[in-house]
Amino acid sequence: MPKVVLLCGGFGTRLSEETVITPKPMVEIGNIPIMCHIMNIYSHFGFKEFFVALGYKGEVIKQYFLNFPYYQSDFTIRMADSSVQVTESRCKDWIVHLSDTGLHTTTGGRLYRLREQLKGETFMMTYGDGVSDVNLRALLDFHYSHGKLATVTTVKPRGRFGTLSFDGTTVTGFKEKEPAEDSWINGGFFVFEPGVLDYLLDDQTQLEGEVLGRLAQDNQLVAYRHEGFWDCMDTLRDKRYLESLWERGDAPWKLA
């Protein structure tokens, strides 16, 4: 089963209301860090080994996963000797590798830092802030079917502004703005062959403009078009939108 890389090292400056004290992947939706929502998506499809590329406030993520088994379990603490006994475990059967990949390292550079752990086999990768109901098994099958080095999931972004309809000055309808028919964007959720690692030069290699651009020029990048739900927690407005979906039980990325 392919390993999964999560890029969790950015500063999250456009969500500064939250990221002053916590890294963006740890910002919570429904009391669950968004990176755990993403890991749950992968886990649902059987992908359970994660390589987390840390940077800004990486120690917060490390501390969270050190205590993760206890967050997921009932336990007893014997105060006299500080011993802890887990009485009922509901912990995930994940393997999580946490690696410091530099404070100012770029997205491609973070992969570059992990290259020794990823070489030799197909791996998957995504960012630490986007959720979707994409079928990851179908994505992987699609990737294997075309024989290229890289597959990127493309999505249609949610309209940022609603549209109104009128009868004179009376509003008769309101709906979310629909994206243009051809407005496909990078939705993350990549599948890479180890040959992609050869496109990474150093810590400052840019994945999006540099590596993906050269893969496209070499006819080694294909797009998996996902028509379903996708959203990215880029701003406080995005966080509130995802929170509203979760709170009313209408979160499409919750697959199980």
Side-chain angles (χ1 to χ4, degrees), residues 116 120 182 251:
E116 290 300 315
D182 60 348

Side-chain angles (χ1 to χ4, degrees), residues 2-154:
K3 301 168 182 176
V4 180
V5 176
L6 297 182
L7 300 184
C8 295
F11 288 95
T13 52
R14 283 178 287 192
L15 193 61
S16 58
E17 299 91 342
E18 298 275 349
T19 56
V20 168
I21 58 174
T22 190
K24 187 178 181 183
M26 288 299 296
V27 174
E28 295 182 347
I29 303 296
N31 297 317
I32 301 171
I34 192 166
M35 68 178 294
C36 289
H37 285 281
I38 297 166
M39 294 167 80
N40 280 327
I41 296 168
Y42 277 97
S43 181
H44 174 78
F45 290 102
F47 306 103
K48 299 183 179 183
E49 184 171 5
F50 301 94
F51 287 79
V52 183
L54 303 173
Y56 175 69
K57 294 189 179 295
E59 69 280 1
V60 177
I61 298 176
K62 285 183 175 180
Q63 190 65 42
Y64 178 81
F65 280 100
L66 279 172
N67 291 307
F68 190 79
Y70 298 116
Y71 294 148
Q72 302 290 316
S73 306
D74 297 338
F75 56 88
T76 299
I77 302 174
R78 301 189 184 281
M79 303 304 248
D81 60 5
S82 299
S83 64
V84 179
Q85 178 185 1
V86 174
T87 54
E88 183 177 352
S89 176
R90 295 178 293 276
C91 199
K92 307 286 187 180
D93 57 341
W94 297 345
I95 300 172
V96 184
H97 309 272
L98 298 154
S99 300
D100 288 312
T101 56
L103 186 60
H104 299 287
T105 309
T106 60
T107 48
R110 296 193 191 284
L111 275 183
Y112 176 78
R113 290 282 191 102
L114 296 175
R115 65 194 183 282
E116 290 300 315
Q117 296 159 282
L118 299 173
K119 65 182 182 181
E121 58 185 298
T122 304
F123 64 96
M124 307 178 85
M125 192 211 83
T126 195
Y127 306 105
D129 60 1
V131 288
S132 176
D133 60 358
V134 60
N135 185 322
L136 295 171
R137 285 296 187 103
L139 167 64
L140 185 61
D141 289 343
F142 174 81
H143 171 79
Y144 285 141
S145 73
H146 62 64
K148 305 293 185 181
L149 289 180
T151 299
V152 56
T153 300
T154 58

Side-chain angles (χ1 to χ4, degrees), residues 106-109 111-112 150 190 192 195-202 204-218 220-221:
T106 60
T107 48
L111 275 183
Y112 176 78
F190 294 91
F192 290 142
V196 168
L197 300 173
D198 296 334
Y199 285 73
L200 306 172
L201 303 178
D202 53 32
Q204 297 307 306
T205 303
Q206 289 287 350
L207 176 68
E208 294 75 17
E210 187 177 345
V211 174
L212 297 182
R214 286 193 283 128
L215 284 165
Q217 290 174 358
D218 293 345
Q220 288 295 327
L221 176 65

Side-chain angles (χ1 to χ4, degrees), residues 147-217:
K148 305 293 185 181
L149 289 180
T151 299
V152 56
T153 300
T154 58
V155 298
K156 292 185 177 181
R158 172 172 55 91
R160 294 293 178 177
F161 302 98
T163 58
L164 300 172
S165 55
F166 301 93
D167 180 5
T169 59
T170 301
V171 176
T172 59
F174 177 90
K175 65 179 181 179
E176 288 294 311
K177 181 181 177 183
E178 297 294 331
E181 187 66 26
D182 60 348
S183 61
W184 293 91
I185 65 168
N186 170 13
F189 298 99
F190 294 91
V191 186
F192 290 142
E193 292 302 316
V196 168
L197 300 173
D198 296 334
Y199 285 73
L200 306 172
L201 303 178
D202 53 32
D203 283 2
Q204 297 307 306
T205 303
Q206 289 287 350
L207 176 68
E208 294 75 17
E210 187 177 345
V211 174
L212 297 182
R214 286 193 283 128
L215 284 165
Q217 290 174 358

